[in-house]
Amino acid sequence: MTNFGYTLSSEEFAPNDLVDYAREAEERGYDFVSISDHYHPWVSEQGHAPFVWSTLGGVATATEEIDVVVGVSCPIVRIHPAILAQATATTARMLGDRFVWGVGTGENLNEHILGDHWPPHRVRLEMLEEAVEVVRKLWDGGQTSHYGEHYTVENARLFTRPEETPPIAVSAYGERAATAAADFGDGFWCVGPQEEPLRAFEENGGEGPKFAQMTVCYAEDEDEAVETTYEQWPNSFVPGELASILPTPTHFEQASQAVSKEDVREADSVVTDPDPETHIESVQQFVDAGYDHVYVHQIGDDQESFFEFYENEVWPSFDFD
């Protein structure tokens, strides 16, 4: 069975708006919402980047049944894992078994702000595994000390702990990270219907929920959707490792200058065609690839048209209550 979700785009909306959209997603029958964890938006046009753990407090009180997942945090540089252990424990206590925490090796865009060195991916993956170990130790309770290669914790204890330990889904886009995700994760996270990393995760014994985000910009006129994407979400077209090393929104804006509107129109990474069949086929690609949690990100201010379009034209083709 596939669970369908909705993206709470922290880069595009103020915190109270995100809370309102979470409530609306629940009312419309979505299985889960996924919220991003950023210090900066990718480009200034997006306009926002509220502190996710404050926003989640609002989401927890505004909703009753919908699952809430963070997709994803980088718990290795900007915030020490001992602090994130407390943040996630509090969030899990508020949401109960509705909470899933997604983690990944992050982007320099968000993590460089304290002046720390931005390590290569291999080192960041080692740091991620140790960070998850620290968090789980603290979730378990009791006074905890940890003297590792990357992190030190002394005499820390969480007094407010989750009643149920939340799963930690690990983000991966390549075989090495997917293999690591299988080793220490409780689930898998990706963007796009990528089959190879998911296969590596499963072949190496990975289990748990498998999340993937589908990015769209729905408008009645495709030219409008292309224009909105071009202005507000050009970061989708920044290639390869560049996205993980650029340090500021200005750098992303500079890198995006090579992107044309025709690139946006022809790209597979963002659906701009208003034909329902195109959206249905795109969702089906995720399902066929093996993802059991598919969530959709609508670019731009017009979230209501997206909700109506998917409710009337797309979700009836799937097992969506």
Side-chain angles (χ1 to χ4, degrees):
M1 177 181 174
T2 303
N3 293 279
F4 296 107
Y6 167 77
T7 298
L8 299 173
S9 180
S10 295
E11 300 75 38
E12 296 175 89
F13 297 104
N16 288 346
D17 292 330
L18 294 169
V19 172
D20 289 342
Y21 286 134
R23 183 188 296 112
E24 182 168 2
E26 179 173 69
E27 292 171 351
R28 289 180 178 270
Y30 282 79
D31 297 304
F32 68 100
V33 291
S34 172
I35 188 167
S36 46
D37 178 4
H38 269 217
Y39 195 90
H40 295 132
W42 279 285
V43 297
S44 300
E45 186 68 25
Q46 290 165 5
H48 289 281
F51 189 53
V52 69
W53 305 107
S54 300
T55 304
L56 284 169
V59 171
T61 59
T63 60
E64 296 180 358
E65 298 180 352
I66 194 169
D67 288 347
V68 179
V69 297
V70 177
V72 299
S73 296
C74 176
I76 65 175
V77 177
R78 169 171 46 112
I79 305 179
H80 193 284
I83 305 302
L84 283 170
Q86 184 184 33
T88 51
T90 300
T91 303
R93 189 62 175 264
M94 296 181 76
L95 287 165
D97 63 1
R98 297 195 284 143
F99 179 59
V100 178
W101 190 31
V103 298
T105 54
E107 296 176 338
N108 197 24
L109 172 70
N110 304 297
E111 307 306 319
H112 78 282
I113 59 171
L114 302 179
D116 297 291
H117 170 65
W118 183 239
H121 183 263
R122 176 186 59 80
V123 176
R124 301 202 314 271
L125 193 57
E126 293 173 0
M127 295 172 72
L128 180 63
E129 184 169 4
E130 185 178 336
V132 169
E133 178 186 356
V134 168
V135 169
R136 286 183 172 140
K137 283 181 178 180
L138 287 162
W139 281 354
D140 284 342
Q143 187 164 288
T144 299
S145 294
H146 174 92
Y147 301 95
E149 182 175 353
H150 302 287
Y151 304 106
T152 298
V153 178
E154 289 190 344
N155 305 325
R157 179 182 175 188
L158 293 181
F159 282 82
T160 299
R161 294 167 47 228
E163 293 181 345
E164 296 186 33
T165 302
I168 299 178
V170 178
S171 173
Y173 300 98
E175 183 176 354
R176 180 172 60 187
T179 301
D183 183 47
F184 67 88
D186 303 315
F188 182 78
W189 210 289
C190 205
V191 173
Q194 300 189 51
E195 296 184 27
E196 291 186 7
L198 178 56
R199 187 179 304 113
F201 173 77
E202 294 178 327
E203 289 178 351
N204 285 279
E207 297 180 346
K210 298 175 284 287
F211 294 87
Q213 177 175 268
M214 173 178 157
T215 303
V216 309
C217 184
Y218 170 73
E220 292 185 4
D221 177 70
E222 184 169 15
D223 289 342
E224 179 184 346
V226 168
E227 181 70 28
T228 298
T229 303
Y230 179 77
E231 294 292 335
Q232 297 194 24
W233 212 258
N235 49 283
S236 267
F237 309 96
V238 173
E241 288 294 312
L242 198 59
S244 70
I245 63 174
L246 295 177
T248 69
T250 299
H251 287 91
F252 273 89
E253 289 157 12
Q254 292 170 352
S256 299
Q257 288 176 3
V259 178
S260 69
K261 293 180 183 179
E262 197 57 33
D263 292 332
V264 173
R265 190 185 302 272
E266 295 178 357
D268 294 329
S269 57
V270 179
V271 180
T272 57
D273 183 355
D275 184 347
E277 286 302 317
T278 303
H279 291 257
I280 292 167
E281 290 170 4
S282 295
V283 173
Q284 190 63 49
Q285 288 179 10
F286 286 79
V287 176
D288 292 343
Y291 291 95
D292 54 20
H293 286 70
V294 179
Y295 63 108
V296 185
H297 168 214
Q298 161 75 353
I299 298 168
D301 295 335
D302 190 2
Q303 300 295 300
E304 292 306 315
S305 292
F306 161 81
F307 276 128
E308 291 295 327
F309 172 69
Y310 263 66
E311 185 171 312
N312 296 323
E313 305 290 345
V314 179
W315 295 134
S317 295
F318 299 92
D319 184 14
F320 183 89
D321 295 332

